[in-house]
Amino acid sequence: MARALYREFGPVLGVGRVRLRRHPVWAAPTRDGDGVGVVVVPGFGGSDPSMAVLRRWLRSRGYRPTGARLWLNLGCTGDLVDRLEQRVVEHARATGGPVVLLGHSRGGWLSRLVAVRRPELVRGLVMLGSPVLDPLDARGLAPLLLGVLVRMSALGLPGLLDRECIAGTCRDTTLDGLTAPLSVPAVAIFSRDDGVVGWESCRDPAAEWVEVRSSHTGMGIDPELYEHLVPRLRAWVRQHRIAAA
């Protein structure tokens, strides 16, 4: 139990960042991003600073990353998707074309919902440990946290997690979007060592599956994951160049 907790909470405290920065994948030999925009979406309860390492790496490779600007990834799914869609519209306009959506955990399936709604704005979709097949497939301490947030919301504390998102109309609408076909290229990255969500629920049938050996919270600083991102992002950039020619 203690080892599992360390594996998931260690990356939150910065464990693993030195290993990533010493890895060859951190030093980009070329700036192959070609100015393509990327909207990076944090996981449940996370904020843009939690994804700063990933954005810094993308910027070093010539992409134009930005945060989702959701403040905290908490609250009603419908409201979050509306706000994320607006951010995607803004960044696509600022970068001159469709963007890549790259989301962790809940951020991944929020991104999928936007990709279904506005495919013309999305060049590609990356979902990191995102349980799209069952958004409530939580492990470890996560179910306890969900229960606490729902109870606090029921007591009148706004902006957390409404019961409608768990077993109401909001949930039904979310599931419809998560099972809808995708018309953009997508990658679902999962780990059997994930201690927060069930890895089986991350294997979106509309996406390419990529398995890594990371913890859930450690995906954003896992060198193996970055190595998988390089060729897939590069392929989407090539498509961008062809379309612009």
Side-chain angles (χ1 to χ4, degrees):
M1 182 66 174
R3 183 178 180 182
L5 288 173
Y6 174 78
R7 185 172 172 79
E8 292 297 346
F9 284 101
V12 177
L13 301 175
V15 175
R17 294 187 184 184
V18 172
R19 174 172 169 260
L20 171 62
R21 289 172 179 169
R22 289 176 177 172
H23 194 279
V25 77
W26 184 258
T30 59
R31 292 175 59 84
D32 50 14
D34 202 32
V36 166
V38 185
V39 178
V40 182
V41 190
F44 182 74
S47 61
D48 287 338
S50 69
M51 305 297 285
V53 172
L54 183 49
R55 291 200 310 275
R56 189 176 306 124
W57 177 78
L58 288 165
R59 191 174 296 111
S60 74
R61 300 191 72 95
Y63 297 90
R64 289 183 60 183
T66 186
R69 297 186 183 175
L70 300 177
W71 187 53
L72 288 177
N73 188 341
L74 288 173
C76 173
T77 297
D79 176 60
L80 291 172
V81 172
D82 289 344
R83 290 161 58 195
L84 180 57
E85 178 186 355
Q86 183 56 40
R87 184 67 193 128
V88 170
V89 169
E90 294 168 355
H91 203 49
R93 186 180 299 128
T95 56
V99 302
V100 173
L101 276 171
L102 197 165
H104 178 236
S105 196
R106 190 192 195 194
W109 55 259
L110 291 176
S111 298
R112 192 193 198 282
L113 295 174
V114 172
V116 168
R117 184 187 291 185
R118 299 296 301 272
E120 77 280 5
L121 297 176
V122 181
R123 186 177 312 280
L125 169 66
V126 181
M127 297 171 284
L128 311 179
S130 302
V132 296
L133 301 184
D134 181 1
L136 296 179
D137 187 1
R139 310 288 170 89
L141 297 176
L144 296 176
L145 175 60
L146 290 175
V148 169
L149 292 174
V150 170
R151 286 193 292 273
M152 292 175 68
S153 180
L155 290 173
L157 194 61
L160 296 178
L161 189 65
D162 193 274
R163 188 171 294 279
E164 280 290 304
C165 286
I166 302 296
T169 303
C170 180
R171 176 180 181 272
D172 294 340
T173 301
T174 297
L175 291 177
D176 287 343
L178 294 180
T179 56
L182 280 172
S183 58
V184 302
V187 179
I189 298 179
F190 67 93
S191 172
R192 295 171 196 261
D193 295 326
D194 195 315
V196 176
V197 305
W199 63 270
E200 301 96 331
S201 296
C202 300
R203 300 198 298 181
D204 189 329
E208 175 193 4
W209 298 348
V210 175
E211 183 174 357
V212 295
R213 292 166 293 182
S214 170
S215 66
H216 186 77
T217 58
M219 284 190 174
I221 54 174
D222 177 33
E224 181 186 13
L225 183 145
Y226 281 64
E227 288 180 316
H228 287 299
L229 287 179
V230 170
R232 290 160 178 84
L233 294 175
R234 187 179 290 149
W236 295 342
V237 170
R238 282 199 298 267
Q239 293 172 3
H240 167 69
R241 289 171 179 161
I242 292 171

